[in-house]
Amino acid sequence: MAAIAVHKFAQCITCHAWSPDLSMVAFCPNSNEVHIYKLLQDKWEKVHVLQKHDQIVSGIDWSARSNRIVTASHDRNSYVWNLEGSEWVPTLVILRLNRAALCVQWSPKENKFAVGSGAKTVCVCYYEQENNWWVSKLIRKRHDSSVTGVAWHPNNIFLATTSTDGKCRVFSTFIKGVDTKDSRTGPTSDSKFGEQIVQLDLSFSWAFGVKWSPSGNTLAYVGHNSMIYFVDDVGPSPLAQNVAFRDLPLRDVLFVSERMAIGVGFDCSPMVFAADDRGIWSFIRFLGERKVTSSGSTYGSQFSEAFGKLYGGQTKHGVSHDAVEPSRSRGGIHENCIKYLLYSAA
Amino acid sequence: MAATGGFVEADNAEAIITRIEHKSRKIESLLKQLKPVEALKTALEGSPPMTRDERCKSANWIVVHRALMAIKDVDGMLSSLDPEYHDILMKYLYRGLSTGDRPTCDQCLRIHEKLTEKAGLGCILRSLADTVNTV
């Protein structure tokens, strides 16, 4: 399956989000701004520029039903943008952080959002109608290092976080007045805000992208040691599967269905993982074309050159060295590390 | 399997070293029977990663080193080695490369090239990223 469309918006994109109707995309071109582009008659036009942050915008999420954009930045702030007329109007959210915000995500009901930060805390923000502002509640305990990824469970209460301390944790973010106690979903004894449900210590290196499967039964997260972890029965005794793969580490993962997930990372080509009938996950294939070289070594030209020198001048055949600057392209669409993956199929 | 962080204490180290000595005798006999691949498998099996005791690690390294140096047919060895041993073998290869000893480094580099072709860059990543289970 090759890429459906390819468009170069900027030299480097830090983070992005699709609009609810998929006609627009908001991204940060590695600066303190957010650009929104709209597809008009087969051409992408820049329609809005959101300028409020002082430093690089590290996370953007666009809520599907309420059409609000939340942005989080290294300047320790977060803004919620509402479309009023034809202008996006920002509302500052005081996160009370003393380090950069690294990632942000709206909850499924869009009444809360979570921000992971370098201050080893997670902020869960909700809207207080009486005072007309967003309040931030911090989960200060437990994390030993920066929180790199956050993911909401479909029940709008459980939040999974990954951190550079290698662990993936699930917390309860029950807020009185915002959430309703639903006796069907899980033990009500764990309904205190900031209560840790489970801590998964599977990776011995940094953990990055984390996602729940559509039903919330399975949790997947990636480690910087070229492994992806699939966890069922998230609770006191979780069932984890460690899937090791051949190539460079992933940075983000996305569930396409209950049994299929796609990972993206330093290999520039998305990887497809699937679970078989027994529920065992494994790597299936790469998405998109891959330049396969004859001698069986499938690294980009940059690595082949390095390995050639390492193994004493043995030449690797079949890899093209035409580019003056060694590019890491592998016949795929992306030429550099892919950091985020978003679901945007209609 | 979630790591429990249960590191072995010093008194258990003696038990591990005895096990390693026992392994060493088995490996010597396998090498005499000209079965270097089995010898390497035995050496890699039961490697004590969850211990901070340097003596255990060194003792196991000596045993693995002996088996590694006896390998002549690298391709054959790798094709009969289970994939679960790839990561631990890569860690020992890096330990070998760090010794600086010419014959050891030559052999380790030879195996490293073939193992990387077989197991991919992910194998190298896992041996580098894992600072908890070192060999």
Side-chain angles (χ1 to χ4, degrees), chain A residues 11 42 65 105 108 121 128 162 165 174 248 280 290 344:
Chain A
Q11 190 67 10
D42 284 343
R65 285 183 298 267
Q105 208 191 33
T121 54
E128 219 170 63
T162 47
D165 64 4
F174 184 87
L248 296 176
I280 309 288
R290 276 195 78 189
S344 59

Side-chain angles (χ1 to χ4, degrees), chain A residues 48 82-88:
Chain A
H48 292 113
N82 285 285
L83 188 62
E84 285 169 25
S86 62
E87 286 298 311
W88 285 96

Side-chain angles (χ1 to χ4, degrees), chain B residues 10-71:
Chain B
D11 40 309
N12 267 346
E14 295 304 330
I16 294 181
I17 294 197
T18 325
R19 225 176 36 226
I20 295 176
E21 275 164 23
H22 182 77
K23 222 170 36 172
S24 168
R25 286 194 285 273
K26 193 161 164 219
I27 285 167
E28 291 299 331
S29 80
L30 281 170
L31 287 175
K32 281 206 187 78
Q33 297 166 39
L34 300 176
K35 287 191 190 147
V37 184
E38 269 81 40
L40 184 60
K41 274 193 204 167
T42 318
L44 291 175
E45 245 160 41
S47 294
M50 293 292 267
T51 171
R52 286 210 179 97
D53 192 291
E54 277 310 312
R55 293 174 303 154
C56 293
K57 291 189 204 278
S58 302
N60 208 56
W61 161 241
I62 293 169
V63 159
V64 172
H65 180 243
R66 178 93 183 81
L68 275 178
M69 296 309 287
I71 302 275

Side-chain angles (χ1 to χ4, degrees), chain A residues 6-25:
Chain A
V6 181
H7 184 89
K8 183 166 173 157
F9 287 109
Q11 190 67 10
C12 173
I13 295 180
T14 320
C15 53
H16 70 296
W18 287 95
S19 67
D21 59 357
L22 306 177
S23 64
M24 296 190 273
V25 64

